[in-house]
Amino acid sequence: MFDTTALRAAYDALLAAAVTVADTATAPPPGEWNADQILAHVTLVDATTIGVVAAVTAGSHTVYDTRLTLDPWTIDRAITLAGGSAGLRARISGQADAMCALVGSSLSETELDIPVSTRLLSGTTLLLDRPVPLRDIITGLTEVELPGHTKQLMALLAEPVVVTA
């Protein structure tokens, strides 16, 4: 079984940051995302990751591709469908529960080591385009993606605050 303690902590920190900036965030610098856009992106990454985990547990071939999670129309649509900030936070909370449940109790060591064709982008920069073990996708979410967006949210505050889960 995969220990989801760090994954849960990363989600808790992100959600705490989202609550902190909910009504006090300043406008982002030009070309950067506002708080709702950051949260919508996270919901899209979560949905993509949950889909990949589910496909692996079903024995299906799958691809992990983050291009759609960066698409402005898709991000705006996710905000609308979730109903704004509170809905996005609720969606992330539910996705965190699902992710931790799926990863923590459903995946065998063999499944965690299955290579998944992966294409990761940051903005328009291609970071990775090769198969990686499912375990590394989950670890990347835990150690890079969620903490990075937590910092991005906190940077929207006029007076920076340190948030811990």
Side-chain angles (χ1 to χ4, degrees):
M1 285 198 330
F2 189 91
D3 182 1
T4 60
T5 305
L7 179 60
R8 175 59 69 183
Y11 275 115
D12 289 347
L14 178 96
L15 289 167
V19 168
T20 300
V21 303
D23 296 319
T24 59
T26 60
E32 296 292 322
W33 287 336
N34 65 33
D36 283 354
Q37 290 167 321
I38 294 166
L39 295 177
H41 167 74
V42 170
T43 69
L44 296 167
V45 169
D46 285 350
T48 300
T49 308
I50 290 167
V52 167
V53 170
V56 167
T57 62
S60 299
H61 176 73
T62 189
V63 174
Y64 188 72
D65 188 338
T66 63
R67 287 179 290 182
L68 200 56
T69 72
L70 300 167
D71 176 67
W73 184 90
T74 305
I75 288 171
D76 288 344
R77 180 80 171 142
I79 294 167
T80 299
L81 291 173
S85 297
L88 290 165
R89 290 191 307 272
R91 186 169 287 185
I92 291 169
S93 179
Q95 289 173 325
D97 292 343
M99 185 81 70
C100 289
L102 282 170
V103 171
S105 64
S106 298
L107 295 174
S108 67
E109 290 298 315
T110 300
E111 290 168 320
L112 286 164
D113 291 333
I114 289 175
V116 175
S117 295
T118 302
R119 179 170 289 139
L120 294 177
L121 281 85
S122 177
T124 59
T125 303
L126 179 65
L127 301 177
L128 185 68
D129 190 11
R130 64 176 172 79
V132 298
L134 178 60
R135 173 189 320 275
D136 291 355
I137 293 170
I138 298 163
T139 300
L141 181 70
T142 304
E143 296 176 358
V144 179
E145 183 75 14
L146 295 172
H149 291 305
T150 300
K151 289 176 186 167
Q152 191 179 17
L153 284 167
M154 296 307 291
L156 294 174
L157 291 176
E159 299 285 329
V161 176
V162 175
V163 175
T164 58

Short mmCIF file of all heavy atoms in Angstrom, two decimals, residues 96-162:
data_model
loop_
_atom_site.label_atom_id
_atom_site.label_comp_id
_atom_site.label_asym_id
_atom_site.label_seq_id
_atom_site.Cartn_x
_atom_site.Cartn_y
_atom_site.Cartn_z
N ALA A 96 -9.55 14.93 -3.01
CA ALA A 96 -8.49 14.49 -2.10
C ALA A 96 -8.90 13.21 -1.39
O ALA A 96 -8.09 12.27 -1.28
CB ALA A 96 -8.19 15.59 -1.07
N ASP A 97 -10.14 13.16 -0.93
CA ASP A 97 -10.63 11.94 -0.29
C ASP A 97 -10.57 10.75 -1.25
O ASP A 97 -10.12 9.66 -0.90
CB ASP A 97 -12.08 12.12 0.20
CG ASP A 97 -12.19 13.10 1.35
OD1 ASP A 97 -11.17 13.42 2.00
OD2 ASP A 97 -13.33 13.58 1.60
N ALA A 98 -11.04 10.98 -2.47
CA ALA A 98 -11.04 9.91 -3.47
C ALA A 98 -9.63 9.46 -3.81
O ALA A 98 -9.34 8.26 -3.88
CB ALA A 98 -11.78 10.37 -4.73
N MET A 99 -8.74 10.44 -4.02
CA MET A 99 -7.36 10.11 -4.38
C MET A 99 -6.69 9.30 -3.27
O MET A 99 -6.07 8.27 -3.54
CB MET A 99 -6.57 11.39 -4.64
CG MET A 99 -5.17 11.14 -5.12
SD MET A 99 -5.10 10.78 -6.86
CE MET A 99 -5.51 12.40 -7.50
N CYS A 100 -6.83 9.76 -2.05
CA CYS A 100 -6.20 9.05 -0.94
C CYS A 100 -6.80 7.66 -0.76
O CYS A 100 -6.07 6.70 -0.47
CB CYS A 100 -6.30 9.87 0.35
SG CYS A 100 -5.22 11.34 0.32
N ALA A 101 -8.10 7.52 -0.94
CA ALA A 101 -8.73 6.21 -0.82
C ALA A 101 -8.26 5.27 -1.93
O ALA A 101 -7.90 4.12 -1.67
CB ALA A 101 -10.25 6.34 -0.85
N LEU A 102 -8.25 5.76 -3.16
CA LEU A 102 -7.82 4.92 -4.28
C LEU A 102 -6.35 4.53 -4.18
O LEU A 102 -6.00 3.36 -4.34
CB LEU A 102 -8.04 5.65 -5.61
CG LEU A 102 -9.45 5.70 -6.15
CD1 LEU A 102 -9.53 6.66 -7.33
CD2 LEU A 102 -9.91 4.31 -6.55
N VAL A 103 -5.52 5.51 -3.92
CA VAL A 103 -4.09 5.26 -3.89
C VAL A 103 -3.69 4.47 -2.65
O VAL A 103 -2.88 3.56 -2.72
CB VAL A 103 -3.31 6.59 -3.96
CG1 VAL A 103 -1.84 6.40 -3.72
CG2 VAL A 103 -3.56 7.27 -5.30
N GLY A 104 -4.30 4.80 -1.52
CA GLY A 104 -3.89 4.18 -0.27
C GLY A 104 -4.35 2.76 -0.06
O GLY A 104 -3.67 1.98 0.59
N SER A 105 -5.47 2.41 -0.65
CA SER A 105 -5.98 1.06 -0.37
C SER A 105 -6.15 0.19 -1.60
O SER A 105 -6.27 -1.02 -1.47
CB SER A 105 -7.32 1.16 0.36
OG SER A 105 -8.28 1.78 -0.48
N SER A 106 -6.15 0.78 -2.77
CA SER A 106 -6.47 0.01 -3.96
C SER A 106 -5.26 -0.45 -4.76
O SER A 106 -5.33 -1.44 -5.47
CB SER A 106 -7.36 0.83 -4.91
OG SER A 106 -8.58 1.12 -4.27
N LEU A 107 -4.18 0.28 -4.70
CA LEU A 107 -3.06 0.01 -5.59
C LEU A 107 -2.03 -0.93 -4.97
O LEU A 107 -1.56 -0.70 -3.86
CB LEU A 107 -2.36 1.31 -5.98
CG LEU A 107 -3.18 2.29 -6.81
CD1 LEU A 107 -2.41 3.58 -7.00
CD2 LEU A 107 -3.55 1.69 -8.14
N SER A 108 -1.69 -1.95 -5.72
CA SER A 108 -0.62 -2.85 -5.30
C SER A 108 0.72 -2.24 -5.70
O SER A 108 0.77 -1.28 -6.49
CB SER A 108 -0.79 -4.21 -5.99
OG SER A 108 -0.56 -4.07 -7.39
N GLU A 109 1.79 -2.78 -5.18
CA GLU A 109 3.12 -2.32 -5.57
C GLU A 109 3.33 -2.49 -7.07
O GLU A 109 3.93 -1.63 -7.72
CB GLU A 109 4.20 -3.07 -4.78
CG GLU A 109 4.25 -2.72 -3.31
CD GLU A 109 4.58 -1.25 -3.06
OE1 GLU A 109 5.51 -0.72 -3.70
OE2 GLU A 109 3.90 -0.62 -2.23
N THR A 110 2.83 -3.57 -7.63
CA THR A 110 2.95 -3.82 -9.07
C THR A 110 2.23 -2.73 -9.85
O THR A 110 2.77 -2.19 -10.84
CB THR A 110 2.37 -5.20 -9.44
OG1 THR A 110 3.10 -6.20 -8.72
CG2 THR A 110 2.46 -5.46 -10.92
N GLU A 111 1.04 -2.35 -9.42
CA GLU A 111 0.29 -1.28 -10.11
C GLU A 111 1.00 0.06 -9.98
O GLU A 111 1.05 0.84 -10.94
CB GLU A 111 -1.13 -1.19 -9.56
CG GLU A 111 -1.99 -2.38 -9.95
CD GLU A 111 -3.29 -2.44 -9.17
OE1 GLU A 111 -3.28 -2.16 -7.95
OE2 GLU A 111 -4.30 -2.78 -9.79
N LEU A 112 1.55 0.34 -8.82
CA LEU A 112 2.27 1.60 -8.62
C LEU A 112 3.50 1.71 -9.53
O LEU A 112 3.91 2.80 -9.89
CB LEU A 112 2.70 1.74 -7.16
CG LEU A 112 1.58 2.08 -6.18
CD1 LEU A 112 2.02 1.82 -4.75
CD2 LEU A 112 1.13 3.52 -6.36
N ASP A 113 4.04 0.55 -9.93
CA ASP A 113 5.22 0.54 -10.79
C ASP A 113 4.88 0.49 -12.28
O ASP A 113 5.79 0.52 -13.12
CB ASP A 113 6.13 -0.63 -10.42
CG ASP A 113 6.77 -0.45 -9.05
OD1 ASP A 113 6.94 0.71 -8.63
OD2 ASP A 113 7.09 -1.46 -8.40
N ILE A 114 3.60 0.44 -12.64
CA ILE A 114 3.22 0.39 -14.05
C ILE A 114 3.59 1.71 -14.73
O ILE A 114 3.22 2.78 -14.25
CB ILE A 114 1.71 0.10 -14.20
CG1 ILE A 114 1.42 -1.34 -13.81
CG2 ILE A 114 1.21 0.40 -15.61
CD1 ILE A 114 -0.03 -1.73 -13.80
N PRO A 115 4.31 1.62 -15.84
CA PRO A 115 4.64 2.86 -16.57
C PRO A 115 3.41 3.42 -17.28
O PRO A 115 2.64 2.69 -17.90
CB PRO A 115 5.71 2.42 -17.58
CG PRO A 115 5.70 0.94 -17.60
CD PRO A 115 4.92 0.45 -16.43
N VAL A 116 3.23 4.72 -17.15
CA VAL A 116 2.12 5.43 -17.78
C VAL A 116 2.71 6.47 -18.74
O VAL A 116 3.57 7.26 -18.35
CB VAL A 116 1.25 6.14 -16.71
CG1 VAL A 116 0.17 6.97 -17.34
CG2 VAL A 116 0.68 5.13 -15.72
N SER A 117 2.27 6.44 -19.98
CA SER A 117 2.71 7.47 -20.94
C SER A 117 2.31 8.82 -20.38
O SER A 117 1.13 9.07 -20.10
CB SER A 117 2.04 7.24 -22.29
OG SER A 117 2.47 6.02 -22.84
N THR A 118 3.29 9.69 -20.21
CA THR A 118 3.06 10.95 -19.50
C THR A 118 3.54 12.14 -20.32
O THR A 118 4.65 12.12 -20.86
CB THR A 118 3.81 10.91 -18.14
OG1 THR A 118 3.33 9.79 -17.39
CG2 THR A 118 3.60 12.19 -17.36
N ARG A 119 2.70 13.16 -20.38
CA ARG A 119 3.07 14.44 -20.98
C ARG A 119 2.70 15.53 -19.97
O ARG A 119 1.52 15.78 -19.72
CB ARG A 119 2.33 14.68 -22.29
CG ARG A 119 2.72 16.03 -22.90
CD ARG A 119 2.21 16.24 -24.29
NE ARG A 119 2.97 15.35 -25.18
CZ ARG A 119 2.42 14.66 -26.18
NH1 ARG A 119 1.15 14.76 -26.43
NH2 ARG A 119 3.16 13.89 -26.93
N LEU A 120 3.72 16.14 -19.39
CA LEU A 120 3.52 17.20 -18.40
C LEU A 120 3.98 18.52 -18.98
O LEU A 120 5.09 18.63 -19.50
CB LEU A 120 4.34 16.93 -17.14
CG LEU A 120 3.98 15.73 -16.29
CD1 LEU A 120 4.96 15.61 -15.12
CD2 LEU A 120 2.57 15.82 -15.78
N LEU A 121 3.13 19.52 -18.84
CA LEU A 121 3.47 20.87 -19.26
C LEU A 121 3.34 21.83 -18.09
O LEU A 121 2.53 21.60 -17.18
CB LEU A 121 2.54 21.34 -20.38
CG LEU A 121 2.86 20.81 -21.77
CD1 LEU A 121 2.23 19.46 -21.97
CD2 LEU A 121 2.38 21.79 -22.80
N SER A 122 4.10 22.90 -18.14
CA SER A 122 3.93 24.03 -17.23
C SER A 122 3.82 25.24 -18.14
O SER A 122 4.80 25.62 -18.79
CB SER A 122 5.13 24.17 -16.29
OG SER A 122 4.97 25.31 -15.47
N GLY A 123 2.64 25.80 -18.24
CA GLY A 123 2.40 26.85 -19.22
C GLY A 123 2.56 26.24 -20.60
O GLY A 123 1.91 25.26 -20.93
N THR A 124 3.48 26.76 -21.37
CA THR A 124 3.74 26.22 -22.71
C THR A 124 5.04 25.41 -22.75
O THR A 124 5.47 24.99 -23.81
CB THR A 124 3.81 27.34 -23.76
OG1 THR A 124 4.84 28.25 -23.39
CG2 THR A 124 2.47 28.07 -23.87
N THR A 125 5.65 25.21 -21.58
CA THR A 125 6.91 24.49 -21.50
C THR A 125 6.67 23.00 -21.25
O THR A 125 6.02 22.63 -20.27
CB THR A 125 7.79 25.06 -20.37
OG1 THR A 125 7.99 26.45 -20.60
CG2 THR A 125 9.12 24.35 -20.29
N LEU A 126 7.19 22.18 -22.13
CA LEU A 126 7.11 20.73 -21.96
C LEU A 126 8.13 20.30 -20.91
O LEU A 126 9.33 20.51 -21.08
CB LEU A 126 7.38 20.02 -23.29
CG LEU A 126 7.33 18.50 -23.27
CD1 LEU A 126 5.93 18.00 -22.94
CD2 LEU A 126 7.79 17.95 -24.61
N LEU A 127 7.65 19.72 -19.82
CA LEU A 127 8.53 19.28 -18.75
C LEU A 127 8.90 17.82 -18.89
O LEU A 127 10.00 17.41 -18.51
CB LEU A 127 7.86 19.49 -17.39
CG LEU A 127 7.47 20.91 -17.02
CD1 LEU A 127 6.74 20.93 -15.68
CD2 LEU A 127 8.68 21.81 -17.00
N LEU A 128 7.96 17.02 -19.40
CA LEU A 128 8.18 15.57 -19.46
C LEU A 128 7.31 14.97 -20.55
O LEU A 128 6.13 15.31 -20.65
CB LEU A 128 7.80 14.96 -18.09
CG LEU A 128 8.04 13.49 -17.88
CD1 LEU A 128 9.52 13.18 -17.85
CD2 LEU A 128 7.39 13.06 -16.57
N ASP A 129 7.88 14.09 -21.34
CA ASP A 129 7.13 13.41 -22.39
C ASP A 129 7.71 12.01 -22.57
O ASP A 129 8.45 11.74 -23.51
CB ASP A 129 7.21 14.21 -23.71
CG ASP A 129 6.25 13.68 -24.77
OD1 ASP A 129 5.38 12.84 -24.43
OD2 ASP A 129 6.37 14.10 -25.92
N ARG A 130 7.38 11.15 -21.59
CA ARG A 130 7.86 9.77 -21.61
C ARG A 130 7.09 8.96 -20.57
O ARG A 130 6.45 9.54 -19.68
CB ARG A 130 9.35 9.71 -21.32
CG ARG A 130 9.73 10.19 -19.93
CD ARG A 130 11.21 10.01 -19.64
NE ARG A 130 11.60 10.64 -18.40
CZ ARG A 130 11.39 10.13 -17.19
NH1 ARG A 130 10.82 8.97 -17.04
NH2 ARG A 130 11.78 10.79 -16.11
N PRO A 131 7.14 7.66 -20.67
CA PRO A 131 6.47 6.84 -19.65
C PRO A 131 7.15 6.99 -18.28
O PRO A 131 8.39 7.05 -18.21
CB PRO A 131 6.63 5.41 -20.17
CG PRO A 131 6.91 5.56 -21.63
CD PRO A 131 7.66 6.85 -21.76
N VAL A 132 6.32 7.09 -17.25
CA VAL A 132 6.83 7.11 -15.87
C VAL A 132 5.94 6.19 -15.03
O VAL A 132 4.76 6.01 -15.33
CB VAL A 132 6.87 8.53 -15.26
CG1 VAL A 132 7.79 9.45 -16.03
CG2 VAL A 132 5.49 9.12 -15.16
N PRO A 133 6.50 5.61 -13.97
CA PRO A 133 5.66 4.78 -13.10
C PRO A 133 4.54 5.60 -12.46
O PRO A 133 4.74 6.78 -12.13
CB PRO A 133 6.64 4.28 -12.03
CG PRO A 133 8.00 4.48 -12.61
CD PRO A 133 7.88 5.65 -13.54
N LEU A 134 3.39 4.98 -12.30
CA LEU A 134 2.25 5.65 -11.66
C LEU A 134 2.67 6.25 -10.32
O LEU A 134 2.25 7.35 -9.96
CB LEU A 134 1.09 4.67 -11.49
CG LEU A 134 -0.14 5.23 -10.80
CD1 LEU A 134 -0.73 6.41 -11.57
CD2 LEU A 134 -1.19 4.12 -10.63
N ARG A 135 3.50 5.55 -9.60
CA ARG A 135 3.99 6.02 -8.30
C ARG A 135 4.61 7.42 -8.43
O ARG A 135 4.40 8.29 -7.58
CB ARG A 135 5.03 5.03 -7.77
CG ARG A 135 5.77 5.43 -6.54
CD ARG A 135 6.93 4.47 -6.22
NE ARG A 135 6.65 3.07 -6.44
CZ ARG A 135 6.05 2.25 -5.56
NH1 ARG A 135 5.67 2.72 -4.40
NH2 ARG A 135 5.86 0.99 -5.85
N ASP A 136 5.36 7.66 -9.50
CA ASP A 136 6.02 8.95 -9.70
C ASP A 136 5.02 10.07 -10.00
O ASP A 136 5.24 11.22 -9.64
CB ASP A 136 7.06 8.86 -10.81
CG ASP A 136 8.25 8.00 -10.42
OD1 ASP A 136 8.33 7.54 -9.26
OD2 ASP A 136 9.11 7.76 -11.29
N ILE A 137 3.93 9.72 -10.67
CA ILE A 137 2.88 10.72 -10.93
C ILE A 137 2.26 11.16 -9.60
O ILE A 137 2.08 12.36 -9.35
CB ILE A 137 1.81 10.15 -11.89
CG1 ILE A 137 2.43 9.95 -13.28
CG2 ILE A 137 0.59 11.07 -11.95
CD1 ILE A 137 1.55 9.18 -14.24
N ILE A 138 1.98 10.20 -8.75
CA ILE A 138 1.38 10.51 -7.44
C ILE A 138 2.37 11.29 -6.57
O ILE A 138 2.00 12.26 -5.91
CB ILE A 138 0.90 9.22 -6.75
CG1 ILE A 138 -0.18 8.56 -7.60
CG2 ILE A 138 0.40 9.52 -5.34
CD1 ILE A 138 -0.44 7.11 -7.26
N THR A 139 3.63 10.87 -6.60
CA THR A 139 4.66 11.58 -5.84
C THR A 139 4.82 13.01 -6.35
O THR A 139 4.98 13.95 -5.56
CB THR A 139 5.99 10.81 -5.90
OG1 THR A 139 5.79 9.51 -5.34
CG2 THR A 139 7.09 11.53 -5.13
N GLY A 140 4.77 13.19 -7.66
CA GLY A 140 4.86 14.54 -8.24
C GLY A 140 3.70 15.42 -7.80
O GLY A 140 3.88 16.61 -7.51
N LEU A 141 2.50 14.85 -7.74
CA LEU A 141 1.33 15.58 -7.25
C LEU A 141 1.56 16.01 -5.80
O LEU A 141 1.30 17.15 -5.42
CB LEU A 141 0.08 14.70 -7.37
CG LEU A 141 -1.23 15.31 -6.92
CD1 LEU A 141 -1.67 16.41 -7.88
CD2 LEU A 141 -2.30 14.23 -6.84
N THR A 142 2.08 15.09 -5.01
CA THR A 142 2.31 15.31 -3.58
C THR A 142 3.41 16.32 -3.31
O THR A 142 3.24 17.22 -2.47
CB THR A 142 2.67 13.98 -2.90
OG1 THR A 142 1.65 13.02 -3.16
CG2 THR A 142 2.87 14.14 -1.41
N GLU A 143 4.52 16.20 -4.01
CA GLU A 143 5.71 16.97 -3.67
C GLU A 143 5.92 18.23 -4.51
O GLU A 143 6.65 19.12 -4.09
CB GLU A 143 6.95 16.08 -3.80
CG GLU A 143 6.95 14.93 -2.80
CD GLU A 143 8.14 13.99 -2.97
OE1 GLU A 143 8.96 14.20 -3.90
OE2 GLU A 143 8.22 13.03 -2.18
N VAL A 144 5.29 18.29 -5.69
CA VAL A 144 5.53 19.42 -6.58
C VAL A 144 4.24 20.18 -6.90
O VAL A 144 4.14 21.38 -6.65
CB VAL A 144 6.22 18.95 -7.89
CG1 VAL A 144 6.44 20.12 -8.83
CG2 VAL A 144 7.52 18.24 -7.58
N GLU A 145 3.27 19.48 -7.48
CA GLU A 145 2.06 20.14 -7.99
C GLU A 145 1.27 20.85 -6.88
O GLU A 145 1.01 22.05 -6.96
CB GLU A 145 1.18 19.11 -8.70
CG GLU A 145 -0.05 19.67 -9.33
CD GLU A 145 0.20 20.45 -10.61
OE1 GLU A 145 1.29 20.36 -11.20
OE2 GLU A 145 -0.72 21.19 -11.03
N LEU A 146 0.85 20.12 -5.87
CA LEU A 146 0.03 20.73 -4.82
C LEU A 146 0.80 21.78 -4.02
O LEU A 146 0.28 22.89 -3.82
CB LEU A 146 -0.56 19.64 -3.91
CG LEU A 146 -1.55 18.70 -4.59
CD1 LEU A 146 -1.93 17.55 -3.66
CD2 LEU A 146 -2.78 19.44 -5.08
N PRO A 147 2.04 21.51 -3.57
CA PRO A 147 2.77 22.57 -2.86
C PRO A 147 3.04 23.80 -3.74
O PRO A 147 2.99 24.93 -3.25
CB PRO A 147 4.09 21.90 -2.46
CG PRO A 147 3.77 20.44 -2.42
CD PRO A 147 2.76 20.23 -3.52
N GLY A 148 3.29 23.59 -5.01
CA GLY A 148 3.52 24.72 -5.92
C GLY A 148 2.30 25.62 -6.02
O GLY A 148 2.41 26.85 -6.01
N HIS A 149 1.13 25.01 -6.10
CA HIS A 149 -0.09 25.81 -6.20
C HIS A 149 -0.48 26.41 -4.85
O HIS A 149 -1.10 27.48 -4.81
CB HIS A 149 -1.22 25.00 -6.82
CG HIS A 149 -0.97 24.72 -8.27
ND1 HIS A 149 -0.71 25.71 -9.18
CD2 HIS A 149 -0.89 23.55 -8.95
CE1 HIS A 149 -0.49 25.18 -10.37
NE2 HIS A 149 -0.58 23.87 -10.25
N THR A 150 -0.08 25.77 -3.77
CA THR A 150 -0.29 26.36 -2.45
C THR A 150 0.52 27.66 -2.35
O THR A 150 -0.01 28.71 -1.94
CB THR A 150 0.14 25.38 -1.34
OG1 THR A 150 -0.65 24.19 -1.45
CG2 THR A 150 -0.02 25.99 0.05
N LYS A 151 1.77 27.63 -2.77
CA LYS A 151 2.61 28.84 -2.77
C LYS A 151 2.05 29.89 -3.72
O LYS A 151 2.06 31.08 -3.42
CB LYS A 151 4.04 28.48 -3.16
CG LYS A 151 4.77 27.69 -2.10
CD LYS A 151 6.14 27.28 -2.57
CE LYS A 151 6.78 26.37 -1.54
NZ LYS A 151 7.97 25.69 -2.05
N GLN A 152 1.55 29.44 -4.86
CA GLN A 152 0.97 30.36 -5.84
C GLN A 152 -0.24 31.09 -5.25
O GLN A 152 -0.41 32.30 -5.44
CB GLN A 152 0.59 29.56 -7.09
CG GLN A 152 0.23 30.37 -8.29
CD GLN A 152 -0.11 29.48 -9.49
OE1 GLN A 152 -0.37 28.28 -9.36
NE2 GLN A 152 -0.12 30.09 -10.66
N LEU A 153 -1.07 30.35 -4.52
CA LEU A 153 -2.22 30.98 -3.86
C LEU A 153 -1.76 32.00 -2.82
O LEU A 153 -2.26 33.13 -2.78
CB LEU A 153 -3.09 29.91 -3.18
CG LEU A 153 -3.98 29.09 -4.08
CD1 LEU A 153 -4.53 27.88 -3.33
CD2 LEU A 153 -5.12 29.93 -4.66
N MET A 154 -0.81 31.61 -1.99
CA MET A 154 -0.36 32.50 -0.92
C MET A 154 0.30 33.75 -1.47
O MET A 154 0.27 34.80 -0.84
CB MET A 154 0.57 31.75 0.03
CG MET A 154 -0.12 30.60 0.78
SD MET A 154 -1.64 31.08 1.65
CE MET A 154 -0.96 32.10 2.94
N ALA A 155 0.88 33.66 -2.66
CA ALA A 155 1.51 34.82 -3.28
C ALA A 155 0.47 35.87 -3.68
O ALA A 155 0.83 37.03 -3.94
CB ALA A 155 2.33 34.39 -4.50
N LEU A 156 -0.80 35.50 -3.70
CA LEU A 156 -1.85 36.44 -4.05
C LEU A 156 -2.24 37.34 -2.88
O LEU A 156 -3.02 38.29 -3.06
CB LEU A 156 -3.10 35.70 -4.55
CG LEU A 156 -2.92 34.92 -5.87
CD1 LEU A 156 -4.17 34.11 -6.17
CD2 LEU A 156 -2.58 35.87 -7.00
N LEU A 157 -1.72 37.06 -1.70
CA LEU A 157 -2.03 37.90 -0.54
C LEU A 157 -1.18 39.16 -0.56
O LEU A 157 0.01 39.11 -0.87
CB LEU A 157 -1.77 37.13 0.76
CG LEU A 157 -2.70 35.97 1.06
CD1 LEU A 157 -2.25 35.25 2.32
CD2 LEU A 157 -4.12 36.46 1.23
N ALA A 158 -1.78 40.26 -0.16
CA ALA A 158 -1.02 41.51 -0.06
C ALA A 158 0.02 41.39 1.05
O ALA A 158 1.14 41.84 0.92
CB ALA A 158 -1.97 42.67 0.22
N GLU A 159 -0.36 40.77 2.13
CA GLU A 159 0.53 40.51 3.27
C GLU A 159 0.71 39.00 3.37
O GLU A 159 -0.19 38.30 3.82
CB GLU A 159 -0.07 41.05 4.58
CG GLU A 159 -0.30 42.54 4.61
CD GLU A 159 1.00 43.30 4.79
OE1 GLU A 159 1.91 42.78 5.44
OE2 GLU A 159 1.09 44.42 4.26
N PRO A 160 1.86 38.46 2.93
CA PRO A 160 2.05 37.01 2.96
C PRO A 160 1.86 36.42 4.36
O PRO A 160 2.25 37.02 5.35
CB PRO A 160 3.49 36.83 2.48
CG PRO A 160 3.79 38.06 1.71
CD PRO A 160 3.00 39.16 2.37
N VAL A 161 1.23 35.25 4.41
CA VAL A 161 0.97 34.51 5.64
C VAL A 161 1.47 33.09 5.41
O VAL A 161 1.28 32.53 4.35
CB VAL A 161 -0.54 34.48 5.96
CG1 VAL A 161 -0.84 33.63 7.17
CG2 VAL A 161 -1.09 35.89 6.14
N VAL A 162 2.09 32.51 6.43
CA VAL A 162 2.51 31.13 6.32
C VAL A 162 1.37 30.25 6.80
O VAL A 162 0.84 30.44 7.90
CB VAL A 162 3.78 30.86 7.16
CG1 VAL A 162 4.15 29.39 7.14
CG2 VAL A 162 4.93 31.72 6.66
#
